[in-house]
Amino acid sequence: LAGTRIICDRKFLLECKSSPAARTPPCCLPQTPAVTSLAQSSLVKLEELKERNESEEAMPGEQPRAAAP
């Protein structure tokens, strides 16, 4: 079987990386939690971490807390 081989140079691929089309998912892509989109629990944890970081930044002078293992 013979196929067509597509050859792209490095410069072209790097330009494609920063393209607006490369930063948006395809419209027909199914929403699979934790694969194509963040799982709901991950979103909640992300919001909690963001709020904690903002509150720590708002209180200067305090020692940063150690992260829980």
Side-chain angles (χ1 to χ4, degrees):
L1 294 171
T4 302
R5 185 171 181 168
I6 299 172
I7 300 173
C8 302
D9 64 347
R10 183 177 188 274
K11 180 183 174 194
F12 173 75
L13 292 174
L14 288 173
E15 288 172 358
C16 290
K17 176 182 153 183
S18 60
S19 164
R23 300 194 180 274
T24 57
C27 62
C28 58
L29 191 67
Q31 296 297 316
T32 307
V35 177
T36 58
S37 63
L38 290 175
Q40 185 63 29
S41 61
S42 296
L43 288 174
V44 171
K45 289 178 184 177
L46 185 63
E47 286 295 320
E48 289 173 358
L49 288 172
K50 183 178 176 183
E51 289 174 5
R52 185 170 61 180
N53 286 342
E54 289 174 353
S55 66
E56 288 176 357
E57 290 174 357
M59 296 180 213
E62 290 187 4
Q63 295 293 328
R65 289 183 271 180

